Amino acid sequence: MSTETNTDTEPSAESSTGPLPPVAPEVLAEAVENLTGRLRKKLDAAIEGCAAGAARADDGSVTVRFGEDALVTLRPGPAGTVTAAEQAVCTCLLAPRCLHRAAVLGAAPLADPDRPPHPDVDADADADADADAASASASASVPDGRAESQAGVGAVGPSSAGRVGSGAGPGSSPDGPEPAAEVLTAARLRAAAALWQAAAEALAAGVTAGGAVVQAELLRAAHTARLAGLPRAEAAALRVVRGLRAARERSGAHRLGDLTGAFRELLHIAGLLASGTAGPALTGTVRRAYRPGGSLRVYGLCREPVLSATGYGGVVTHLLAPDGARHSVSDVRPGGLARARGAGSASVALGGAALDHAGLARGGLRIAGATVSADGRLGAGRGVQATPLRGIPWTEEPAAALFARPAAEAVAAQLADRDTDPDGAAPALLGCEVTVVGAAGEDLLVREVRADAPLLRLRAAHPHPELPHTANLRRIAAHPGLVLRVLGRPDLDRAATLRPLAVGPVPGAEYTLRLPEEWLGRADLGYDLLQGSHFPPGTAAAPAAPAAEGPDLLADSPLWRVRRLLESGVAGGRRAVAEAARAAEPVTAYRPLRRAGFTAAAELAVALAAEADRRPRDPFGRLKDPSPDGYARAWLAASTHLAAAERYLVAASWS
C-alpha cells in the first residue's frame, strides 16, 4: 500500500535533470535481447557509472566513453527522448550488439511511450504535465465489508479462468453480478500471457536478482502489451521496472511497500487478461483522454501544491460543479520546489480566463467548449473559452454538501468505489467539521463534531519543510478546542488519517478561525500561512480533553506478519520467502493471525511459504528450478487478501 501516488500519471521521464536522455522502453529491451548470454551476465556491472561518465555536446547528443575504442553516442529526437535504435550508436566492432550500447541505454531513465492521440481528444488538451504525480496513488483491492474470513482470494493467473475470490480487485463483486466480460483477441491473449510470465519471473527474482536483464524482459512484455492495445497492463509493468531500478539504486524515493503494491497490480491485471476474458476496465484506453464537456460552471475549492520526486512541480486547483461533479485544473512543469511554490499564483492557462490559481481557488469559471478527462481534469484546448465567475464560500451549495456527510460514510463509499475503479484514481476530497485535540508529533489530532466520533489524525499533505503544510498544522495544534472545517483527502492506507488541503471557520461557532474576508472563508494550507490574528483570542470555553489515542487498528493487527513476508519476497525474491519458511514453523509463526480471526490470511501465508520452498527434482533426482507460475499465484493471493483486510480495518477506524 503506497502513497503514491499513484500510475500512468507519472512524468514521462524518471529524471529531467540527469545527464542521460530518457530512453523508450522498447529500445532498451531490444538492445538487451541482442546481447549474448555471456554479455548479459556483465550488464549490471557495466551499467554502474555510465551516467557519471556522460558528456553532453552542443548539438544535444550525449556521449559515454568505454576505454579507447568504444564511444557510445545517444542522439535524442526533438522531444529529448531516444525512441529509435539508430539514435544509439557505438564505435566498437560488436555494435550494435555490444555491451557498451546496452549499458548506456540501461543507465538512462525510462521514458513513457508515445501514444497516438485519441480521436476525440483535442490536440492541445494534453499539454499539461501530469498533475497528480504527488497525489496518493491507488492501492489494490478493497474489502467488501464482510467478515475477514470471507475476504480471502483465489489464485489468479493464466489458467485461473479469470475469476478472483471475494475481496479481489477490479472486475469482481462477491455480492452481485460481475461487469460484462470482454472476449480478448488472440494478440491480446498472447501479450497478457507473456506479461504474466515476465512479471512472475521478476517477482521470483526480487530486487536482489532483478537486474537489467529481468527488467528488459518486463519492458519487452510491456511493449507487446502496448501494441496489443492494453495500456493499463503496460503502465503497470513500467511502474514495476521503475520501482526495481529505484530499489537497486537505493534511491531515497524508493519504498518497498510501493514496489509490493506495483507487483500486486501488475500480476492482477496480467492474470485476469491472460485468463481469456476481462472487463472493459482492464482493456480500455489511456486515462488521459479528453472528451467534449459542453458548457460548464465550476467553482474553486482549494489549491494543492504538486512536488514529485522526479523534479516536477506545480499546482492543482480543485473545482466543483453545481451538480457536485469534481474537476481540476493543473499546471505542472519541470522545476521542483520553486515551481511548486510559484505556480500557486501563476495564471490559469484555460480559455483566456484572466485568473491566476489563487483567484480560481476562491472564484469560478463559466467554460464554453470544455474538454474533460475521465478523472475530471479540464483541458486547455484551442476551442475552450472561459469567463470568470464570483466564487462561493463553503457555506453555500454545492460546496456545503461536502461537509454535510459524516466522514466515515464518505470514506466507506470511497473504499467501496475502489473495488471497481479502473484507473486507480487518488481518493476524492471530503470535508468534515472537527474539534482540535492537540499535537501528536508532526501530526494533529482532531475529533469530528458528531456523537461517538473517533480521533482522526491530520497529516501534512506535503511534508516538505519549504511548504507551509506542517507549519500551519503546528499553529492549529496550539489552540485545543478550536472548531474548524477541514477539506482534505483521506489516506486510505492508514487508520483514520486525513491529509488536509484547506481549512475554514465553522459557521456560528464562537471559538473558530477568523480569516480575512478576501480569503472567502478558507485557507489553502499549502500556500496560505496562518498567523496569530487568524485565531480567536483566549481559549476555548470548554477545551477538548487531551484524550489518549486509541489503538491503531491497522498497525496493531497481526497482519504485519503477512506484510513482512510479502515484502521480503519482493526484496529478496523467492529464496527469501523460502528461507523465512525454514526459519520457523509456519503454523506456529502465524498462530497470532488465527487467534485474531485472520484465518484466511494465515492459510494464504503458509501456502505461499510452502510454494516458495517447493524444490522439484528431475528423473535423476537432481534439483531443478520450479516454474515461477505457482509461486506468483500464491503471492498474489496472499497480497490481494492482505490489501482487502487492511482496507476493511481502515474503514473500521473511521467509525
Side-chain angles (χ1 to χ4, degrees):
M1 295 189 149
S2 62
T3 52
E4 353 90 317
T5 11
N6 188 269
T7 95
D8 50 0
T9 59
E10 294 175 352
S12 60
E14 291 177 1
S15 174
S16 59
T17 59
L20 293 173
V23 172
E26 62 270 20
V27 175
L28 172 58
E30 182 183 9
V32 176
E33 185 181 26
N34 288 335
L35 295 179
T36 64
R38 181 179 62 85
L39 293 180
R40 289 188 182 189
K41 295 178 181 180
K42 301 179 179 180
L43 182 56
D44 288 326
I47 287 175
E48 296 180 8
C50 282
R56 185 176 295 273
D58 294 338
D59 61 355
S61 63
V62 178
T63 58
V64 180
R65 180 169 292 281
F66 291 83
E68 297 181 358
D69 301 326
L71 180 68
V72 178
T73 303
L74 302 183
R75 300 185 186 279
T81 303
V82 176
T83 57
E86 56 269 19
Q87 293 176 332
V89 297
C90 180
T91 58
C92 76
L93 297 178
L94 292 179
R97 301 173 181 267
C98 64
L99 179 64
H100 315 113
R101 178 175 176 272
V104 174
L105 292 174
L110 282 180
D112 280 336
D114 294 330
R115 306 183 188 275
H118 191 279
D120 295 332
V121 178
D122 190 314
D124 294 338
D126 201 21
D128 291 338
D130 292 307
D132 46 358
S135 300
S137 63
S139 300
S141 325
V142 186
D144 59 1
R146 300 181 297 174
E148 185 275 345
S149 61
Q150 297 175 334
V153 298
V156 180
S159 60
S160 64
R163 300 185 65 85
V164 187
S166 61
S172 65
S173 175
D175 299 322
E178 294 185 352
E182 176 181 346
V183 179
L184 301 183
T185 63
R188 285 183 168 183
L189 286 175
R190 288 193 298 269
L195 189 57
W196 167 270
Q197 187 65 26
E201 292 176 353
L203 177 68
V207 172
T208 54
V213 175
V214 172
Q215 295 170 27
E217 293 298 325
L218 270 174
L219 293 177
R220 173 160 291 281
H223 182 59
T224 304
R226 175 197 179 196
L227 297 179
L230 300 174
R232 283 202 69 206
E234 177 203 17
L238 292 182
R239 279 193 288 274
V240 169
V241 173
R242 289 192 173 103
L244 287 172
R245 283 188 163 198
R248 291 178 63 85
E249 294 169 0
R250 294 178 174 83
S251 168
H254 164 67
R255 289 183 63 232
L256 188 57
D258 294 342
L259 183 54
T260 302
F263 264 112
R264 178 175 60 245
E265 181 187 14
L266 173 58
L267 289 169
H268 176 73
I269 293 174
L272 287 182
L273 290 171
S275 66
T277 58
L282 296 183
T283 58
T285 55
V286 185
R287 179 181 173 188
R288 291 291 307 275
Y290 288 82
R291 298 182 180 275
S295 297
L296 290 177
R297 278 188 300 132
V298 292
Y299 300 97
L301 289 175
C302 64
R303 294 169 291 169
E304 177 184 8
V306 173
L307 183 60
S308 76
T310 56
Y312 281 68
V315 63
V316 175
T317 298
H318 297 278
L319 309 167
L320 194 64
D323 61 357
R326 313 291 180 90
H327 297 283
S328 65
V329 174
S330 63
D331 181 8
V332 181
R333 299 280 188 274
L337 177 63
R339 184 73 174 76
R341 296 176 65 180
S345 55
S347 299
V348 176
L350 184 65
L355 275 179
D356 56 20
H357 281 272
L360 179 57
R362 295 182 173 94
L365 287 176
R366 178 182 287 110
I367 307 173
T371 56
V372 186
S373 71
D375 59 344
R377 191 173 306 170
L378 298 178
R382 287 186 295 270
V384 178
Q385 296 181 348
T387 305
L389 294 175
R390 179 189 69 87
I392 59 170
W394 285 355
T395 54
E396 296 182 12
E397 297 293 348
L402 296 174
F403 302 91
R405 189 181 191 184
E409 291 185 11
V411 171
Q414 292 194 34
L415 287 169
D417 290 342
R418 277 294 180 87
D419 240 355
T420 55
D421 181 11
D423 294 314
L429 300 185
L430 65 83
C432 56
E433 295 184 357
V434 301
T435 301
V436 174
V437 174
E442 295 294 327
D443 300 338
L444 173 64
L445 295 181
V446 300
R447 193 183 297 276
E448 195 174 359
V449 183
R450 62 179 175 86
D452 301 324
L455 279 176
L456 304 181
R457 181 180 292 267
L458 302 188
R459 177 162 292 182
H462 300 280
H464 196 287
E466 295 297 323
L467 295 174
H469 287 277
T470 302
N472 281 328
L473 290 183
R474 286 177 185 158
R475 286 185 170 88
I476 296 173
H479 296 79
L482 184 73
V483 182
L484 70 158
R485 283 186 164 183
V486 178
L487 183 66
R489 183 179 290 110
D491 190 335
L492 301 182
D493 298 331
R494 292 181 172 84
T497 300
L498 183 69
R499 295 189 179 271
L501 301 181
V503 295
V506 174
E510 180 178 352
Y511 196 69
T512 187
L513 291 174
R514 299 182 177 182
L515 301 179
E517 183 177 352
E518 60 270 19
W519 285 16
L520 203 62
R522 65 259 203 175
D524 294 330
L525 296 179
Y527 289 103
D528 301 322
L529 189 61
L530 294 174
Q531 306 291 342
S533 59
H534 298 152
F535 295 91
T539 58
E549 283 190 85
D552 189 322
L553 295 180
L554 188 59
D556 296 339
S557 76
L559 288 173
W560 63 267
R561 290 175 167 81
V562 182
R563 189 184 312 112
R564 184 174 64 180
L565 181 68
L566 294 170
E567 292 183 352
S568 66
V570 171
R574 180 173 185 163
R575 291 184 179 180
V577 177
E579 289 296 333
R582 300 189 197 109
E585 177 63 33
V587 175
T588 303
Y590 299 110
R591 188 172 295 163
L593 283 167
R594 294 185 173 89
R595 286 199 301 263
F598 295 107
T599 306
E603 295 299 331
L604 289 169
V606 171
L608 172 60
E611 178 62 31
D613 201 27
R614 184 171 62 87
R615 308 179 73 188
R617 298 178 181 269
D618 63 16
F620 300 99
R622 295 172 298 192
L623 289 174
K624 63 178 183 179
D625 291 333
S627 167
D629 189 74
Y631 171 73
R633 293 187 197 179
W635 187 93
L636 178 59
S639 180
T640 305
H641 176 273
L642 174 66
E646 289 183 333
R647 293 290 190 190
Y648 182 84
L649 294 177
V650 169
S653 70
W654 286 82
S655 302

